[in-house]
Amino acid sequence: MSLVAALNPPQREAAKYLDGPLLVLAGAGSGKTRVITHKIAYLIGECGYRPSSIAAITFTNKAAREMQDRAAKLTQGVNTKGLIVTTFHSMGLRMLREDAKFAELKPAFSILDSADAAGIVSEIIKTTDKQEIRRAVSRISLWKNELKSPAAALATAEDDNARAYAKIYDRYDATLRAYQAVDFDDLIRLPAELLDTHHELREKWQNRLRHVLVDEYQDTNIAQYRLLQKLTGVRAAFTAVGDDDQAIYGWRGASADNLRQLREDYPHLHVVKLEQNYRSTVRILKAANSLIANNPKLFEKRLWSDLGHGDPIQVMPTRDDEHEAESVVMRLLSHKFQHRTEWRDYAILYRGNYQARVFEQALRNEKVPYQLSGGQSFFDKSEIKDVIAYLRLIANGDDDPAFIRAVTTPRRGIGAATLEKLGEVAATLHTSLFDAVFSAAAAAQIGERQLAPLIEFCNFINRFEARAAREPAGEVLNDLLKGIGYENHLFDQDDQRAAQSRWDNVLEFAAWIAKKGEEDEKTLLQLTQTIALITLLEGREEEEAPDRVRLSTLHAAKGLEFGHVFLVGVEENILPHRDAVDEGRLEEERRLMYVGVTRAKKSLTLSYCARRKRARESVACEPSRFIAELGDDVRLPDRPADADSKASGSDRLAALRAMLG
């Protein structure tokens, strides 16, 4: 029996089509991952493609792992060694490592994260203003995603402000080259540029990859589109899977125009539409279709389902933030009691992370287990990354990004100019920044006064390296924190409350290190080597979470599904967001609402407030225009929440608690 026999007709058509470029318009819940994995299995098992000649590219490690696992199950008994299932950034990294010399990089080049990039920009513009740094970093990122060099950015700058950012970009780029480093955007930009300018590289990769599959194609930016073009060449043997109705990342450089561009660049593009939804009831899909019909359409598409009519969509007005949270939790508890569901069947979705706090409190009050998504991981907090940078450098003196972060945090009077000179020395000697500090070349090219704090810092690291290999981990780390004066640094950087919160996080991390050291009988060096793995495991634990209600931003919920969804804060100025409306991005906000609606399988409840706290004020709110756009199959309340609702709500919650035990 054919590997694709189990697919529905459009899915099967998409899996078997090999006559040129293919666009699969996969509506929400229509089985796009199923199509991609079955196509991989079909290419290997029935068409004789070598696994190493196939690349499936997506955006997240989680999606890549899921795709890899499902493809492996479909190809059981077949050797799939060499099959590439990866993210865009990992694919770019693979290419850069293999062809580093073409980018004038050493094979062991460093990859800087967003915090490292912000630190460099901060040094260039001589400011600690986080908003200004964020604006500069964002502008540079957008230029890189558009494949614009610093010179091109300057040449096309529309005003003095843009010209200033272009000059920052130029210095930023020079700094990275001096450090022998790249940032996340470079992992896509540089391979795309190298394939464009080096015929032999282009030929090599096009001969190696015979079919490329791209997931979430609507989220690609210009650089990713060009990379796909160059990888597939004139054969254009690719399958792009996406949904223009779920393009919600325009703010970070994604271009929904890439779908339009496909048709222009590939006149023979074959299009397959997946419109059967396997997730949601008819009513939910009817509302989603009604909503998204208000956006102009590049490709007409209408989702349908045979999962039954389902419950009407509920709209719940509330008085204020706290009343909204209490009402949602009450309704959730009531629904769970009536239907004997599990906590994991429920999700509370919102536009911004700041909305989560009041719902967390309401859930804690009722002892409801919950899981927070779309927020910041503990290991991603800047203060934890600062400390980890020291640990990484103590464990491995060749870790240049860790060196850069540690040597500049706290500040030691070592400026960007000094580090650029050090980077040049390291590049000339083909050594790490750490080793370069002690070289004769550094002594000759960097002034004695500028070099002294670098030598002092490296000697400090060496002393702790010796201790970290033999002394208890917790003791060494606490002495390290005292030695660098990190607590004082935090309180110098932030206001009292923020600094205390960040310092508490550091103390929590230090206590965790001390405990792990004792329990596992490991030194600080040994623990440091496993921190990256622990971070990954933390992510895996989130995916395999026990029975909990999910709290998530709409952006973070994309790709997920839940039996019962509460979409909260559905108000003007929140959803759609005021800034998006002002900037002409209403269509993207509507797509974000659409994503929220289509996360629901069985029931959907929308809530909004009459008044909401903003800073210290209470401001009047209006229900979102999107509620009316959901159509006439939405159940509006008979009357607004009355003055006694809080009391009655509390009584009902108490009764539910008693019933639930």
Side-chain angles (χ1 to χ4, degrees):
M1 191 168 101
S2 172
L3 285 163
V4 297
L7 303 179
N8 69 31
Q11 289 175 337
R12 192 158 52 249
E13 181 188 354
K16 293 180 72 171
Y17 187 83
L18 297 174
D19 294 333
L22 171 66
L23 172 63
V24 182
L25 286 170
S30 63
K32 65 180 178 66
T33 305
R34 183 175 169 87
V35 167
I36 292 171
T37 52
H38 275 77
K39 185 155 193 169
I40 291 170
Y42 177 73
L43 288 168
I44 296 170
E46 296 189 31
C47 301
Y49 280 63
R50 286 180 294 105
S52 59
S53 72
I54 302 167
I57 306 173
T58 187
F59 279 83
T60 67
N61 288 324
K62 179 188 172 185
R65 281 197 303 272
E66 182 188 352
M67 210 177 282
Q68 185 95 50
D69 292 345
R70 288 170 68 171
K73 287 175 184 172
L74 289 169
T75 53
Q76 279 182 341
V78 178
N79 183 7
T80 59
K81 188 178 179 183
L83 173 66
I84 301 170
V85 182
T86 189
T87 64
F88 266 107
H89 290 93
S90 295
M91 186 69 198
L93 177 59
R94 178 190 295 248
M95 296 171 72
L96 275 183
R97 278 182 174 156
E98 199 168 309
D99 300 309
K101 64 181 181 183
F102 290 93
E104 297 180 357
L105 289 168
K106 58 183 182 182
F109 62 86
S110 302
I111 303 167
L112 306 186
D113 64 17
S114 55
D116 296 320
I120 293 170
V121 169
S122 176
E123 283 290 337
I124 291 170
I125 60 181
K126 307 295 181 193
T127 184
T128 57
D129 184 334
K130 289 180 181 177
Q131 280 195 321
E132 182 56 31
I133 293 167
R134 198 178 297 117
R135 278 193 291 268
V137 168
S138 176
R139 195 68 179 262
I140 292 168
S141 177
L142 288 172
W143 274 324
K144 288 192 175 190
N145 291 336
E146 292 169 358
L147 295 177
K148 280 189 177 179
S149 66
L154 187 59
T156 57
E158 63 277 7
D159 53 37
D160 289 344
N161 201 37
R163 279 188 283 277
Y165 284 129
K167 289 173 182 175
I168 295 167
Y169 178 19
D170 187 48
R171 290 187 61 190
Y172 173 80
D173 194 54
T175 303
L176 260 61
R177 281 189 276 110
Y179 290 167
Q180 283 286 289
V182 300
D183 60 20
F184 282 135
D185 294 319
D186 288 329
L187 293 174
I188 311 293
R189 178 180 72 96
L190 288 174
E193 289 179 349
L194 291 178
L195 291 184
D196 191 42
T197 54
H198 292 81
H199 172 74
E200 65 270 41
L201 281 187
R202 194 161 60 247
E203 202 167 66
K204 180 184 90 172
W205 284 99
Q206 288 176 4
N207 288 334
R208 184 181 298 184
L209 299 177
R210 309 303 290 181
H211 201 93
V212 179
L213 303 98
V214 180
D215 190 18
E216 304 288 5
Y217 181 77
Q218 77 282 346
D219 294 336
T220 57
N221 56 40
I222 291 171
Q224 288 159 338
Y225 180 63
R226 294 289 176 240
L227 183 62
L228 174 64
Q229 272 193 312
K230 300 304 177 185
L231 280 174
T232 55
V234 292
R235 287 198 320 276
F238 67 80
T239 301
V241 183
D243 182 5
D244 50 332
D245 292 333
Q246 296 188 74
I248 59 174
Y249 293 112
W251 53 275
R252 70 180 189 194
S255 177
D257 277 346
N258 282 353
L259 286 163
R260 186 178 293 105
Q261 195 67 41
L262 265 183
R263 279 208 303 201
E264 292 177 11
D265 291 344
Y266 302 96
H268 302 298
L269 179 73
H270 188 62
V271 179
V272 175
K273 297 178 185 179
L274 305 184
E275 296 173 296
Q276 182 174 1
N277 176 285
Y278 293 92
R279 174 186 301 160
S280 306
T281 62
V282 170
R283 272 194 167 116
I284 290 170
L285 293 183
K286 185 179 174 186
N289 286 331
S290 174
L291 171 75
I292 207 64
N294 290 277
N295 274 1
K297 290 287 195 179
L298 187 61
F299 300 95
E300 284 298 331
K301 179 174 81 283
R302 195 165 183 86
L303 296 182
W304 62 275
S305 166
D306 59 7
L307 297 177
H309 214 53
D311 299 330
I313 294 168
Q314 305 283 335
V315 178
M316 186 168 62
T318 61
R319 287 194 315 276
D320 53 33
D321 319 48
E322 290 182 3
H323 184 224
E324 181 182 39
E326 185 184 84
S327 301
V328 165
V329 172
M330 182 186 71
R331 190 166 289 204
L332 189 155
L333 286 168
S334 176
H335 190 279
K336 185 178 188 301
F337 176 75
Q338 291 172 21
H339 298 274
R340 298 290 190 256
T341 47
E342 296 184 306
W343 296 117
R344 65 167 60 88
D345 293 326
Y346 298 90
I348 300 171
L349 308 182
Y350 36 79
R351 178 65 174 79
N353 275 312
Y354 70 92
Q355 294 170 263
R357 183 192 58 80
V358 67
F359 289 95
E360 284 192 83
Q361 188 60 57
L363 290 165
R364 282 198 298 267
N365 289 346
E366 306 310 321
K367 297 182 173 54
V368 175
Y370 69 89
Q371 175 189 0
L372 194 63
S373 300
Q376 192 179 38
S377 158
F378 182 77
F379 284 91
D380 280 337
K381 294 181 184 295
S382 63
E383 59 272 19
I384 304 302
K385 292 175 79 170
D386 286 344
V387 178
I388 289 174
Y390 276 89
L391 303 188
R392 283 165 45 193
L393 188 60
I394 289 167
N396 174 20
D398 290 332
D399 191 333
D400 284 1
F403 179 95
I404 293 162
R405 187 169 189 129
V407 82
T408 55
T409 311
R411 296 185 184 279
R412 298 177 170 83
I414 301 169
T418 301
L419 288 174
E420 282 180 34
K421 287 180 184 175
L422 183 65
E424 288 166 8
V425 171
T428 304
L429 299 176
H430 302 288
T431 189
S432 68
L433 295 168
F434 192 97
D435 288 342
V437 169
F438 297 103
S439 68
Q445 294 181 42
I446 302 171
E448 187 179 339
R449 189 169 61 85
Q450 285 80 22
L451 191 59
L454 282 169
I455 293 172
E456 184 183 339
F457 169 77
C458 291
N459 286 332
F460 173 86
I461 295 296
N462 282 332
R463 288 196 296 275
F464 272 89
E465 183 188 0
R467 290 184 59 189
R470 59 178 189 270
E471 296 180 25
E475 189 179 309
V476 178
L477 180 53
N478 283 322
D479 286 351
L480 174 72
L481 292 169
K482 287 176 188 170
I484 63 175
Y486 194 71
E487 183 180 8
N488 290 337
H489 163 71
L490 289 178
F491 281 89
D492 288 342
Q493 291 290 306
D494 269 316
D495 60 60
Q496 181 84 15
R497 188 174 175 181
Q500 188 61 56
S501 174
R502 293 177 71 192
W503 179 239
D504 288 345
N505 288 334
V506 172
L507 293 177
E508 183 183 339
F509 177 69
W512 177 82
I513 285 282
K515 186 181 177 185
K516 288 290 286 184
E518 289 174 12
E519 288 178 351
D520 300 350
E521 297 182 347
K522 286 185 175 180
T523 66
L524 190 60
L525 288 183
Q526 290 169 323
L527 283 174
T528 299
Q529 291 164 350
T530 64
I531 282 174
L533 178 60
I534 291 165
T535 307
L536 287 173
L537 289 175
E538 183 191 42
R540 284 187 179 271
E541 287 169 4
E542 180 173 322
E543 292 158 34
E544 300 161 8
D547 192 18
R548 296 174 183 170
V549 174
R550 180 72 68 100
L551 288 180
S552 175
T553 62
L554 287 164
H555 285 98
K558 188 166 173 285
L560 304 178
E561 58 183 41
F562 308 92
H564 312 282
V565 168
F566 292 88
L567 185 47
V568 303
V570 189
E571 300 155 25
E572 290 294 309
N573 299 323
I574 294 180
L575 185 63
H577 195 277
R578 180 175 56 249
D579 292 348
V581 175
D582 292 344
E583 294 165 11
R585 292 188 286 110
L586 179 63
E587 290 171 16
E588 185 166 317
E589 290 292 294
R590 186 174 285 111
R591 291 194 291 268
L592 189 59
M593 176 79 174
Y594 176 85
V595 165
V597 170
T598 54
R599 297 314 90 196
K601 296 164 71 175
K602 296 178 181 177
S603 77
L604 174 66
T605 303
L606 314 176
S607 66
Y608 64 87
C609 297
R611 302 192 72 81
R612 186 174 291 276
K613 288 178 187 170
R614 294 260 168 80
R616 296 183 180 179
E617 293 182 53
S618 174
V619 298
C621 304
E622 292 290 329
S624 171
R625 70 192 75 186
F626 296 153
I627 295 175
E629 292 178 3
L630 293 170
D632 55 9
D633 208 12
V634 174
R635 181 171 290 174
L636 299 169
D638 295 328
R639 60 186 178 89
D642 57 38
D644 297 326
S645 61
K646 189 168 184 177
S648 64
S650 299
D651 292 342
R652 280 180 283 173
L653 278 171
L656 283 166
R657 276 200 300 273
M659 287 188 289
L660 290 166

